Amino acid sequence: MENVRFAGAAGVLEALTRRVVESMVDVLVVEKKVNYQMLEKATTLLSITDAVMNDAEKEQIRNPDVKNWICEVQDAEFCVQDCLEMIAYEALRCKVQSSQSGNVSTKVLSSSESSITTTTTFDAKMLNLRICQIHDKLESLVTLKSSFGLKEDVQNRLMQKLCATVFLEAVPQNYFHQNMPLDVLASDVYGRETEKEDLIKLLLSDYDDDDDTVNNISVIPICGIGGIGKTTLAQLVFNDSRVNKHFDLKAWVSVSEQEFDIFKFTKSILETVTCKPCYSKDLNFLQFKLHEELMGKRFLLVLDDIWDGNSIHKDSLKIHFGSVRHGSKIVVTTRSKDVAHMIGDVPSFNLQMLSFQHSFQLFAKHAFNKVDSGAFSHLQIIGRKIVKKCECLPLSVKLLGCLLRFDFQLEAWESILNSDEWDLYNGISISESQHSSPITEPKETVVPPALWLSYHYLPRHLKRCFAVCSIFPKHYQVKKETLIKIWMALSLLQPQKDMRIEEVGHIYLNHLMSRSLLQQSRSSQLSVTMHDLLHDFATLISKEYYFKLDDQVSLSLVSKMQGKNSEIQKPKSFSKAKVLFASTETPWRKVIGKVSVSELVQHEVLPRLESLRVLSLVSCPILYLPCSVCSLNSLRYLDLSFSLLKEVPNAICSLYNLETLLLSNCRKLCRLPSNMANLINLRHLDIKKTRLTEMPMQMGRLKNLQTLSDFVLGNQSGSGIEELKELQNLHGKLCISGLQNISDVGKVLEANLKDKKFLSELHLKWDDDSYTSNKEREVLDGLQPLANLKILIIKRYGGRTFPNWLGSNLHCHMVSIRLKDCKNCYSLPPFGQLTYLKKLDVVGFDSLTTIGREFYCNGSSLIKPFRCLESLSFCSMSEWQNWYLVDDSEGGGFPNLQPLYLEDCPKLSETLPYGLPSLRSLHISGCQQIVALTPHDMEMHVAYPSLQTLEIYHCANLQSLPGGSWPANLKLLVISHCENLTPPNHKVFHDLKSLEKLCISW
């Protein structure tokens, strides 16, 4: 069926109008004669059409003319938006130039007076003509509305408002941190116990250590329609403890591309297996390394969401895993029975619908959310009827359960049950032809009505937020912060009183997650992803608005006419595109036609994108920023991370609307533009892992900055540290480097880090530790942060002692501290007083010889030292000899310590801490003078009762291991290169039933 339109977004215009009004519109209206009154009338007409948009969305299914009407309204809306953009940009230009001229009064400057090159001249006459044309068009559209009989859907609007209000009032602020596990839990799945056990039985069977057959790996397909739970079943099995114990290595790869990419496939598996990123571009090298890593190991691989069984034939697939141990398995999930038949070695698991009982259990879990459903028997009756309409499809049941979560009003439940959309949207399908191979016939996936209902009852402002997610590739794990910044750049977030716009974005994100329209990433709490069927649905409702240059590159359009043209070489118009997004996996060197993707984007696409708001060119191999980018006056989000840029041109500083500038990992980037201070709307600047040696002048003018990754202090040039004084709204992490270049300690006090109340993480770096003086200590003393700081890292500090604030209980909220290469320091602060400290790393203290009582407390403190510390490491301590250990009479020490690392401490000869009830991992390496692990006659199970891992390397004077009983839970014991170690009595280890690996070598 032809694609339907998604709802307009009045909130976009509201946000833009507010921004324009807050600018210098009065000056533009008076001096440049902008007909702002007519523009306001056009906006009012749009609000009239917006009121009937819910009814129009449904009516378009029956009446194609209504669909065209919606397209015309949306085109008009975008035209109004463009006019507001032009006015807002001109107002900002005037504001910046006025501040440059030093004139306090607001003055509109002509182009000839400007010290900055602008790409377009503001033409009020042409703008007024365009506004009048838009107004006339909207008047005719409002009249046409009545002829279609479109009415305001009051019930639906109330339902949308009710759902949004109930959600905001009912969901605790930390709900999604506590209740969103990275992996699916068995307790969250109903009715798949039999399938789970059968699949596990198949995975654990059919292997023989003595069998030396060629095919050491077999393929097991899981087949079923979209939303039936294929991935969920695979996750349950993948995380099962029996499977974990049986297989040596596991990997999970999401496929779902039109063409199977063997390079990406190999790279993903290798990175998963090694838990390390791989930067090689050589496929042969990747395959060799994978072959090496898998050699002789029983391996489990899950290939999720395969569409094409021809490009990934099972025989060629098995060739890549020829080195694995017999009994290795590949689990494949697919919607296609043909694919399952072609690729499987055994009959596929054909998943069926859930039983009605299990379906209602799933629905109740999400709808009542741990509330006793027995108290709502009237709602249970309606809920059972809703489940029946879902036809027991798990995804549909879950979506509608989530839709009604926290809402126990009868009206809302009846509205869902009796909605005419069950029949209206029944049978609408998504073409799967883009996934089909030449051999496989194109197929259609029917969109369950529950998806339409879940979308239709979204509050209006969230519909576009959801649709925008279709710009990402399938299974793409997008960072939450990235998604919010893109929404912000598209003006999809409606400002709320006393709330940062980013906080509004988090509320929107949590709302979509609560509806299960977005879901927590399996690999990171910081990212989200989308179910493949929901991604198909999001693509369906926005297909005419987005154009795919490549699987990894998408371009958002704003009119149906543009979307009809699928050939990049012959576009009718890309001038109104709002988003060009390239993912981190973009094959920039891939050839399309006769040019690479990189050249296509730079020379063919970018010059046509006059209205672009979001531009992501991550990893694009560009040495210089294309000139066309500097003319994108509407640009708000620019991501050039991992590119080859050496500098950012000054012309970019005329992009006054820019809110986000991401330049991280531009390893060749040496300088930022000198007029950076003109970007007065900039809120996020990420410049970590670059080669910058200083910051541009007047950084303090960027008062809207919310995040600033790094502040680099130059040698007598660039912005000084005092510029930080004006940046009061900095959130999250800040790294200040080049601290050795501070000549005036008074400037440090001006920076006043104590006032940065939103900072949670602070890095302080000197680039040279050879110079020592009292000034170093004064500088660090002046950098005292606010008391609620959580993470602190100090590198190459040249002072001999630390200031009193470090270790003071005034900073008791710190949870992680890392001190590195402070080579002149001879003592440590009283970190034992930090009651919430969980992680402490001390590295490279060449002058420290003793860790004494002062490490635990300062004076007569009654606080039990290190009561929350979970991880402690000392590394590269060349002169450290003595470690004072507190006993029980002094409150004891390290009651919750789990891993303890001692590396390259060649002179440490004292007894190690003992009596550590929670210690699970002890790693000792390069500690030449250690003679014994525990005091004389103390058994290991007394010193470390919870120990599971013990690793000792290169301890030349270690003479013996403790006798007697060892911790019953010990799983791994590795001792190597300890030349004087007396061979232990192996009877010591006979009773260690949990021991999985024992390796003692000299």
Side-chain angles (χ1 to χ4, degrees):
M1 178 174 179
E2 196 176 355
N3 301 313
V4 298
R5 310 300 337 127
F6 61 85
V12 174
L13 294 181
E14 290 174 13
L16 263 177
T17 304
R18 186 181 292 106
R19 185 168 183 170
V20 169
V21 170
E22 290 172 353
S23 300
M24 299 162 54
V25 174
D26 53 337
V27 179
L28 294 176
V29 171
V30 173
E31 298 194 23
K32 294 210 170 182
K33 305 186 185 306
V34 172
N35 192 348
Y36 194 70
Q37 187 177 14
M38 184 64 73
L39 190 57
E40 285 183 319
K41 289 181 179 179
T43 305
T44 301
L45 290 172
L46 272 173
S47 66
I48 295 174
T49 62
D50 187 64
V52 300
M53 196 58 71
N54 277 327
D55 191 32
E57 282 183 313
K58 294 190 291 185
E59 189 62 29
Q60 68 177 327
I61 303 296
R62 307 183 186 96
N63 188 346
D65 291 337
V66 174
K67 179 180 177 181
N68 292 330
W69 180 86
I70 293 176
C71 290
E72 293 291 337
V73 169
Q74 289 175 338
D75 280 341
E77 179 185 336
F78 287 122
C79 288
V80 171
Q81 183 178 333
D82 288 342
C83 292
L84 287 168
E85 288 276 5
M86 292 175 64
I87 297 172
Y89 178 81
E90 180 64 12
L92 287 170
R93 187 182 70 84
C94 294
K95 183 177 181 180
V96 170
Q97 294 181 354
S98 177
S99 64
Q100 281 184 332
S101 67
N103 188 354
V104 178
S105 62
T106 304
K107 177 183 176 184
V108 178
L109 303 178
S110 66
S111 298
S112 60
E113 294 175 284
S114 173
S115 60
I116 301 173
T117 302
T118 55
T119 55
T120 57
T121 302
F122 186 76
D123 189 335
K125 185 176 180 181
M126 289 297 296
L127 177 62
N128 288 335
L129 177 61
R130 188 178 182 188
I131 291 173
C132 290
Q133 292 172 342
I134 297 169
H135 176 270
D136 293 344
K137 179 180 180 180
L138 280 168
E139 276 192 329
S140 65
L141 289 171
V142 170
T143 302
L144 196 58
K145 163 187 78 75
S146 302
S147 67
F148 291 136
L150 300 177
K151 300 177 181 178
E152 184 174 355
D153 191 346
V154 178
Q155 184 181 16
N156 193 11
R157 291 171 70 89
L158 288 175
M159 177 66 179
Q160 291 173 343
K161 185 176 180 180
L162 178 64
C163 288
T165 303
V166 169
F167 172 81
L168 293 177
E169 292 177 350
V171 180
Q173 187 174 6
N174 61 348
Y175 175 83
F176 293 97
H177 295 290
Q178 295 178 345
N179 296 281
M180 290 289 181
L182 296 185
D183 286 308
V184 64
L185 301 177
S187 58
D188 293 335
V189 182
Y190 300 91
R192 297 299 188 201
E193 293 82 4
T194 300
E195 291 90 340
K196 174 188 172 184
E197 292 303 317
D198 288 346
L199 185 52
I200 290 177
K201 188 180 298 182
L202 197 56
L203 289 176
L204 303 185
S205 66
D206 188 30
Y207 74 93
D208 184 349
D209 292 342
D210 298 325
D211 195 343
D212 191 26
T213 58
V214 175
N215 288 328
N216 292 329
I217 193 164
S218 56
V219 182
I220 304 170
I222 303 175
C223 185
I225 64 173
I228 203 166
K230 302 180 295 296
T231 300
T232 299
L233 176 61
Q235 285 182 336
L236 278 178
V237 171
F238 190 79
N239 296 323
D240 189 86
S241 58
R242 292 166 290 177
V243 172
N244 290 336
K245 188 175 182 179
H246 180 74
F247 291 96
D248 301 309
L249 290 172
K250 301 189 304 178
W252 183 293
V253 177
S254 297
V255 187
S256 70
E257 277 121 2
Q258 296 180 31
E259 296 180 13
F260 180 71
D261 190 327
I262 186 61
F263 178 83
K264 285 174 57 180
F265 172 74
T266 308
K267 182 173 179 286
S268 296
I269 297 176
L270 181 61
E271 290 180 336
T272 304
V273 167
T274 60
C275 299
K276 292 187 292 187
C278 179
Y279 300 105
S280 174
K281 304 295 183 182
D282 186 341
L283 176 59
N284 291 330
F285 174 78
L286 294 180
Q287 291 177 329
F288 172 77
K289 292 298 293 183
L290 182 61
H291 185 276
E292 195 175 60
E293 290 290 336
L294 298 181
M295 179 69 71
K297 295 176 181 177
R298 191 180 293 125
F299 179 54
L300 171 63
L301 172 65
V302 175
L303 296 179
D304 190 27
D305 199 20
I306 286 185
W307 289 83
D308 185 3
N310 294 289
S311 62
I312 184 171
H313 194 272
K314 67 178 179 182
D315 291 336
S316 59
L317 179 65
K318 290 181 179 182
I319 292 175
H320 301 294
F321 306 107
S323 65
V324 298
R325 182 177 169 185
H326 188 71
S328 297
K329 300 290 194 300
I330 299 175
V331 174
V332 169
T333 70
T334 180
R335 296 185 205 174
S336 169
K337 292 182 179 179
D338 293 338
V339 171
H341 177 73
M342 283 188 286
I343 206 168
D345 287 316
V346 297
S348 65
F349 279 78
N350 293 309
L351 290 190
Q352 305 301 319
M353 298 294 187
L354 292 179
S355 68
F356 180 80
Q357 179 182 355
H358 289 133
S359 296
F360 182 72
Q361 287 178 325
L362 178 63
F363 174 85
K365 175 181 177 58
H366 292 283
F368 295 105
N369 191 44
K370 299 181 181 179
V371 176
D372 182 14
S373 60
F376 301 95
S377 57
H378 59 299
L379 296 182
Q380 285 196 42
I381 295 173
I382 299 175
R384 291 179 185 277
K385 294 178 180 179
I386 291 174
V387 169
K388 187 175 182 180
K389 284 196 170 187
C390 290
E391 298 180 346
C392 297
L393 182 69
L395 180 61
S396 296
V397 171
K398 182 179 179 180
L399 284 172
L400 292 190
C402 291
L403 173 61
L404 294 168
R405 179 183 288 166
F406 309 117
D407 185 357
F408 303 127
Q409 298 193 34
L410 182 64
E411 178 186 9
W413 289 56
E414 288 181 335
S415 176
I416 297 296
L417 176 63
N418 299 322
S419 173
D420 59 357
E421 291 167 72
W422 289 104
D423 297 323
L424 188 62
Y425 292 121
N426 190 26
I428 294 181
S429 60
I430 306 169
S431 174
E432 298 176 5
S433 58
Q434 67 266 32
H435 298 288
S436 303
S437 69
I439 299 176
T440 308
E441 290 295 324
K443 298 180 181 179
E444 300 258 324
T445 293
V446 175
V447 181
L451 271 67
W452 291 101
L453 277 164
S454 185
Y455 169 77
H456 192 61
Y457 281 104
L458 272 178
R460 186 70 55 83
H461 54 277
L462 290 179
K463 288 187 174 180
R464 271 200 177 170
C465 289
F466 170 74
V468 163
C469 296
S470 66
I471 69 174
F472 305 114
K474 263 193 178 182
H475 302 293
Y476 187 74
Q477 298 184 29
V478 58
K479 290 183 178 179
K480 296 176 182 179
E481 296 296 335
T482 298
L483 184 55
I484 290 170
K485 288 168 186 171
I486 290 176
W487 288 342
M488 184 172 69
L490 295 172
S491 299
L492 301 182
L493 306 179
Q494 299 175 348
Q496 303 293 322
K497 186 178 180 181
D498 299 326
M499 190 177 292
R500 294 166 60 236
I501 197 69
E502 290 84 357
E503 293 172 331
V504 175
H506 278 285
I507 291 175
Y508 286 19
L509 182 66
N510 288 347
H511 200 156
L512 290 174
M513 290 176 70
S514 80
R515 298 283 191 92
S516 289
L517 295 172
L518 292 176
Q519 59 193 34
Q520 185 72 57
S521 164
R522 294 182 65 250
S523 59
S524 172
Q525 288 280 9
L526 302 178
S527 301
V528 292
T529 186
M530 183 181 279
H531 188 282
D532 55 348
L533 185 58
L534 284 168
H535 187 279
D536 289 342
F537 177 66
T539 302
L540 172 68
I541 61 176
S542 57
K543 185 173 182 180
E544 292 170 355
Y545 285 72
Y546 294 96
F547 175 77
K548 297 285 185 181
L549 301 179
D550 178 84
D551 285 336
Q552 304 294 327
V553 186
S554 60
L555 180 70
S556 78
L557 309 175
V558 295
S559 80
K560 176 181 176 182
M561 291 72 74
Q562 295 168 6
K564 281 184 176 179
N565 197 315
S566 61
E567 292 186 27
I568 186 66
Q569 290 83 358
K570 302 176 182 179
K572 288 187 176 180
S573 171
F574 285 146
S575 62
K576 292 185 179 181
K578 301 297 182 185
V579 179
L580 195 160
F581 179 85
S583 79
T584 54
E585 299 294 330
T586 300
W588 289 109
R589 291 181 170 84
K590 176 181 177 181
V591 175
I592 298 179
K594 296 183 179 180
V595 297
S596 68
V597 173
S598 174
E599 294 171 324
L600 184 66
V601 169
Q602 292 181 66
H603 306 304
E604 297 293 331
V605 179
L606 273 177
R608 305 172 185 174
L609 307 180
E610 301 172 3
S611 302
L612 208 62
R613 281 169 161 249
V614 174
L615 175 58
S616 169
L617 298 177
V618 178
S619 301
C620 187
I622 53 175
L623 298 175
Y624 304 98
L625 193 65
C627 295
S628 55
V629 174
C630 300
S631 64
L632 301 174
N633 293 342
S634 297
L635 196 65
R636 284 162 164 75
Y637 178 99
L638 177 59
D639 189 353
L640 302 170
S641 303
F642 293 92
S643 69
L644 302 178
L645 282 177
K646 294 182 179 180
E647 63 178 14
V648 179
N650 228 13
I652 202 175
C653 297
S654 64
L655 303 180
Y656 307 125
N657 284 308
L658 196 63
E659 297 170 337
T660 300
L661 178 58
L662 307 178
L663 299 166
S664 67
N665 291 278
C666 294
R667 305 283 181 167
K668 297 185 178 182
L669 184 64
C670 298
R671 74 176 187 89
L672 293 174
S674 57
N675 289 331
M676 192 86 174
N678 290 337
L679 299 176
I680 57 176
N681 279 317
L682 195 65
R683 299 177 69 84
H684 304 281
L685 176 59
D686 189 350
I687 50 176
K688 62 178 175 287
K689 297 184 180 180
T690 61
R691 296 177 60 188
L692 295 177
T693 56
E694 64 181 28
M695 303 300 289
M697 297 294 290
Q698 297 183 311
M699 284 294 292
R701 286 176 56 193
L702 302 179
K703 296 182 180 181
N704 285 318
L705 271 180
Q706 305 293 304
T707 58
L708 174 62
S709 66
D710 293 76
F711 194 91
V712 185
L713 298 169
N715 186 7
Q716 300 182 345
S717 61
S719 283
I721 195 170
E722 68 276 7
E723 293 287 336
L724 288 172
K725 176 183 178 181
E726 301 298 328
L727 307 182
Q728 294 296 321
N729 296 312
L730 292 180
H731 287 66
K733 171 185 171 182
L734 171 65
C735 175
I736 306 175
S737 60
L739 288 167
Q740 76 283 351
N741 291 322
I742 294 178
S743 57
D744 185 353
V745 177
K747 300 293 187 182
V748 179
L749 298 177
E750 285 187 42
N752 201 5
L753 291 186
K754 286 183 179 179
D755 280 357
K756 306 293 186 289
K757 58 184 178 180
F758 304 116
L759 282 181
S760 59
E761 183 172 351
L762 180 63
H763 296 204
L764 303 174
K765 297 181 181 180
W766 284 256
D767 294 336
D768 184 5
D769 58 9
S770 61
Y771 177 71
T772 62
S773 71
N774 289 333
K775 189 191 78 171
E776 302 297 306
R777 194 179 192 281
E778 292 176 9
V779 168
L780 185 55
D781 197 18
L783 292 171
Q784 179 177 350
L786 196 71
N788 59 0
L789 194 74
K790 295 291 191 296
I791 300 173
L792 176 66
I793 295 178
I794 299 176
K795 292 185 177 181
R796 291 182 290 276
Y797 167 62
R800 295 184 180 278
T801 60
F802 289 97
N804 294 333
W805 66 262
L806 189 57
S808 166
N809 55 19
L810 292 176
H811 290 84
C812 64
H813 295 289
M814 287 191 188
V815 296
S816 177
I817 296 176
R818 180 176 176 83
L819 307 177
K820 184 178 181 182
D821 296 333
C822 303
K823 298 185 182 299
N824 300 313
C825 285
Y826 57 79
S827 66
L828 292 175
F831 288 135
Q833 294 186 123
L834 303 181
T835 51
Y836 295 104
L837 188 64
K838 292 185 176 182
K839 184 177 182 180
L840 175 61
D841 297 329
V842 181
V843 182
F845 276 56
D846 290 351
S847 300
L848 186 144
T849 60
T850 300
I851 293 180
R853 187 190 299 268
E854 74 284 349
F855 179 57
Y856 300 90
C857 64
N858 187 4
S860 57
S861 175
L862 298 178
I863 298 175
K864 187 175 182 179
F866 296 111
R867 64 185 185 186
C868 288
L869 194 69
E870 296 176 356
S871 176
L872 176 63
S873 67
F874 292 103
C875 301
S876 302
M877 312 281 280
S878 60
E879 299 298 322
W880 182 29
Q881 301 176 28
N882 304 310
W883 187 356
Y884 176 81
L885 303 176
V886 296
D887 55 29
D888 292 338
S889 64
E890 298 175 278
F894 314 113
N896 291 298
L897 190 65
Q898 296 179 18
L900 172 61
Y901 299 90
L902 298 172
E903 297 182 2
D904 297 323
C905 305
K907 295 185 179 182
L908 179 63
S909 58
E910 296 291 324
T911 303
L912 302 181
Y914 55 88
L916 304 180
S918 302
L919 193 71
R920 295 184 180 181
S921 177
L922 178 58
H923 180 100
I924 306 172
S925 177
C927 299
Q928 306 291 343
Q929 300 302 318
I930 289 181
V931 177
L933 298 180
T934 62
H936 184 62
D937 293 335
M938 179 176 285
E939 297 182 356
M940 283 290 287
H941 83 282
V942 175
Y944 314 115
S946 302
L947 194 66
Q948 297 180 7
T949 299
L950 175 61
E951 295 177 280
I952 305 175
Y953 304 95
H954 301 285
C955 295
N957 289 326
L958 182 64
Q959 297 177 358
S960 63
L961 298 178
S965 299
W966 280 58
N969 292 323
L970 190 68
K971 296 181 179 179
L972 183 147
L973 174 59
V974 178
I975 302 176
S976 178
H977 294 89
C978 298
E979 294 86 351
N980 294 313
L981 178 66
T982 302
N985 187 341
H986 289 281
K987 293 182 179 179
V988 173
F989 308 119
H990 284 172
D991 295 330
L992 299 180
K993 305 299 183 183
S994 300
L995 195 63
E996 298 175 358
K997 182 177 182 180
L998 173 63
C999 180
I1000 301 178
S1001 61
W1002 286 263

